[in-house]
């Protein structure tokens, strides 16, 4: 308690700085792969991707970021072990932020799309098990999070596979893909609007003091979905067939319609990502704030201040703008060749998976979800469409992430302990 009283302000400043560093890493690595499919398919430029991400990542973090934050903040460690030593929890959370941020910086410089969720969970488990004791870790919770790392890419891949198959049968493999795209794309637009508005209503608006019953929530989501579809339909009607552009690639005109759709799904993915992955940066920060605010009491109910969400949202956006281009290239072009229609199927499937997970409070890996969805689209076209060398490299980087986060976290934990005292 003495350490918290004496160094509380310094520790909180460190938590904000390290939280920003971690959020920057999330932006550089994770947001980049959330936007990778849109840029890789040629639907939008990197500049447009950054503008979309800035707006929707931030909105997702602020509106719907609180639910998953609670899991990261309270779920992985058994807080009861820190009742007499709250300063150890603070050191551990600081070490976790610094370790995960450092690993993300290394991975982003190499263009590896690693999991920010793996990074922070590995870091928290590392300091908890070694710095405090194996009993300090809630292994059951860690097990359920680890299970989601297998389930979520499979779910996203399956959804993407089915979505792309539906596009093939309704639009791509028909006599007139352009006219059929004009006919069916608004239905897919409705789906995007419906999914994203539903999670915002269910989870996000609590933070701003709005809550609706189930029936009203679904009605509002349907209205928003129809609005998105209507605006999309107006834009699509203006797209005309240019016979000369289809000479080299039979589907060029059709793909221009999907480019409109990709802008909407890119926004959806950015929102879903912000709502899920802001927790990786601000969960530990919120835990430090809670301990310091309560004067060292563990388990005291501390609210999640809006400024903490702002730190997360701001850091994420800054990371994407300054360092996101390398991972965008890996996801956008490295795994399989993407067109706007393929990119749409992958992005919508990934966004829906993240939204479901964010709604249940389970911190899934957006990276794994998106790579799973891109693989699903590739498989729908046959194994030959996949770059297996790149996929192996991505899988290897995922395996390294957890131990790397854990090891660095343990080192930083003991350094902080030495600096401030045990």
């Amino acid at each position: 308690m003495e350490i918290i009283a004496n160094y509380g302000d310094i520790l909180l400043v460190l938590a904000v700085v390290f939280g920003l560093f971690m959020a920057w890493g999330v932006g550089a690595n994770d947001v980049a792969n959330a936007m990778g499919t849109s840029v890789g398919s040629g639907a939008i430029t990197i500049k447009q991707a950054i503008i979309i991400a800035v707006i929707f990542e931030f909105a997702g973090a602020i509106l719907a970021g609180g639910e998953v934050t609670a899991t990261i903040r309270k779920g992985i460690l058994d807080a009861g072990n820190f009742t007499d030593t709250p300063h150890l929890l603070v050191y551990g959370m600081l070490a976790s932020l610094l370790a995960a941020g450092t690993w993300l910086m290394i991975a982003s410089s190499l263009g590896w799309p690693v999991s920010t969720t793996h990074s922070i969970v590995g870091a928290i488990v590392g300091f908890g098990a070694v710095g405090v004791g194996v009993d300090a870790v809630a292994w059951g919770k860690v097990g359920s999070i680890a299970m989601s790392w297998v389930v979520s890419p499979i779910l996203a891949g399956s959804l993407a596979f089915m979505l792309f198959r539906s596009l093939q049968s309704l639009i791509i493999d028909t006599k007139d893909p352009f006219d059929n795209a004009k006919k069916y794309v608004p239905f897919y637009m409705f789906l995007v609007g419906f999914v994203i508005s539903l999670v915002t209503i269910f989870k996000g608006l609590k933070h701003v003091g709005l809550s609706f019953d189930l029936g009203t929530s679904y009605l509002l989501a349907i209205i928003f979905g129809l609005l998105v579809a209507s605006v999309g339909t107006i834009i699509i009607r203006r797209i005309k067939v240019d016979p000369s552009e289809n000479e080299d690639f039979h589907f060029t005109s059709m793909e221009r319609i999907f480019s409109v759709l990709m802008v909407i799904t890119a926004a959806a993915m950015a929102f879903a990502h912000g709502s899920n992955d802001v927790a990786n940066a601000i969960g530990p920060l919120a835990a430090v704030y809670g301990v310091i605010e309560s004067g060292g009491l563990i388990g005291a109910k501390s609210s999640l201040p809006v400024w903490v969400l702002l730190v997360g949202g701001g850091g994420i956006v800054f990371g994407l703008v300054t360092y996101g281009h390398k991972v965008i290239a890996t996801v956008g072009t490295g795994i399989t060749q993407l067109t706007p229609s393929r990119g749409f199927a992958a992005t919508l499937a990934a966004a829906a998976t993240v939204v479901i997970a964010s709604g249940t409070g389970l911190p899934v890996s957006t990276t794994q979800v998106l790579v799973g969805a891109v693989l699903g689209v590739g498989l729908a076209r046959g194994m030959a469409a996949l770059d297996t060398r790149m996929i192996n490299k991505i899988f290897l980087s995922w395996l390294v992430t957890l131990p790397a986060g854990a090891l660095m976290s343990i080192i930083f934990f003991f350094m902080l302990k030495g600096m401030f005292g045990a």
Side-chain angles (χ1 to χ4, degrees):
M1 297 284 185
E2 245 179 74
I3 291 168
I4 298 293
N6 294 339
Y7 298 111
D9 290 345
I10 297 169
L11 291 167
L12 190 57
V13 169
L14 281 177
V16 172
V17 172
F18 294 171
L20 266 171
F21 178 49
M22 171 63 186
W24 175 88
V26 172
N29 199 286
D30 249 25
V31 181
N33 63 53
M35 289 285 125
T37 46
S38 309
V39 176
S41 67
I44 55 176
T45 63
I46 287 209
K47 198 174 176 182
Q48 289 165 331
I50 288 169
I51 293 165
I52 290 168
V54 166
I55 297 163
F56 289 94
E57 285 280 339
F58 206 68
I62 302 300
L63 286 174
E67 197 73 20
V68 178
T69 302
T71 306
I72 291 273
R73 188 174 41 166
K74 297 190 288 237
I76 298 165
L77 293 177
D78 185 353
N81 288 287
F82 299 94
T83 311
D84 300 324
T85 53
H87 57 286
L88 291 184
L89 179 65
V90 172
Y91 298 163
M93 289 299 176
L94 289 173
S96 299
L97 285 171
L98 192 53
T102 304
W103 171 244
L104 287 173
M105 184 172 70
I106 293 164
S108 300
S109 69
L110 295 166
W112 293 351
V114 297
S115 165
T116 55
T117 313
H118 283 204
S119 306
I120 197 70
V121 170
I124 292 173
V125 169
F127 102 80
V130 176
V132 184
V134 177
D135 295 342
V137 179
W139 293 106
K141 189 74 199 175
V142 173
S144 72
I145 291 170
M147 209 173 72
S148 78
W149 296 337
V150 179
V151 173
S152 55
I154 292 170
L155 175 62
S158 306
L159 281 174
F161 184 88
M162 290 187 293
L163 262 170
F164 191 65
R165 282 285 188 202
S166 74
L167 291 176
Q168 283 177 318
S169 61
L170 291 172
I171 300 167
I172 298 166
D173 296 340
T174 59
K175 271 185 182 173
D176 197 341
F178 181 79
D179 284 351
N180 283 328
K182 278 195 164 187
K183 191 179 3 178
Y184 291 113
V185 162
F187 292 102
Y188 290 101
M189 287 181 172
F190 168 79
L191 203 59
V192 177
F194 179 76
V195 167
I196 295 304
S197 54
L198 206 56
V199 74
T200 313
I201 293 161
F202 279 157
K203 296 295 164 193
L205 299 181
K206 285 179 187 171
H207 300 302
V208 289
L210 287 173
S211 60
F212 304 100
D213 61 56
L214 199 64
T216 313
S217 299
Y218 275 102
L219 184 65
L220 286 169
I222 289 167
I223 291 167
F224 186 75
L226 289 170
L227 188 69
V228 169
S230 305
V231 172
T233 306
I234 292 163
I235 297 166
I236 286 168
R237 275 188 187 152
R238 293 178 179 172
I239 298 171
K240 300 282 186 275
V241 175
D242 178 2
S244 63
E245 70 181 358
N246 292 329
E247 282 170 10
D248 295 330
F249 180 55
H250 179 53
F251 302 106
T252 305
S253 297
M254 179 210 76
E255 292 291 2
R256 278 200 294 131
I257 292 174
F258 276 99
S259 295
V260 177
L261 194 47
M262 274 301 286
V263 174
I264 298 169
T265 46
M269 189 61 201
F271 184 92
H273 179 268
S275 72
N276 186 75
D277 280 37
V278 71
N280 296 332
I282 65 166
L285 169 56
V288 172
Y289 170 78
V291 173
I292 292 168
E293 187 202 32
S294 63
L297 293 173
I298 300 285
K301 183 87 176 128
S302 66
S303 59
L304 182 69
V306 173
W307 69 262
V308 174
L309 285 166
L310 287 169
V311 166
I316 282 175
V317 163
F318 186 59
L320 172 70
V321 173
T322 55
Y323 213 55
H325 56 94
K326 288 194 175 185
V327 181
I328 282 181
T330 302
V331 175
T333 55
I335 300 168
T336 188
Q337 194 183 4
L338 289 174
T339 61
S341 58
R342 294 167 200 163
F344 156 71
T347 314
L348 180 57
T353 306
V354 173
V355 158
I356 294 161
S358 191
T360 55
L362 192 67
V364 297
S365 161
T366 319
T367 310
Q368 288 194 328
V369 166
L370 197 78
V371 170
V374 173
L375 282 173
V377 169
L379 283 171
R381 297 168 55 231
M383 274 302 286
L386 297 171
D387 183 341
T388 46
R389 268 185 46 235
M390 178 59 81
I391 293 161
N392 289 339
K393 197 196 282 186
I394 290 170
F395 284 161
L396 187 67
S397 73
W398 290 357
L399 288 173
V400 175
T401 294
L402 218 124
L407 188 67
M408 284 194 277
S409 173
I410 292 161
I411 294 165
F412 291 140
F413 175 71
F414 285 111
M415 282 169 64
L416 286 162
K417 217 172 157 184
M419 279 166 62
F420 290 100

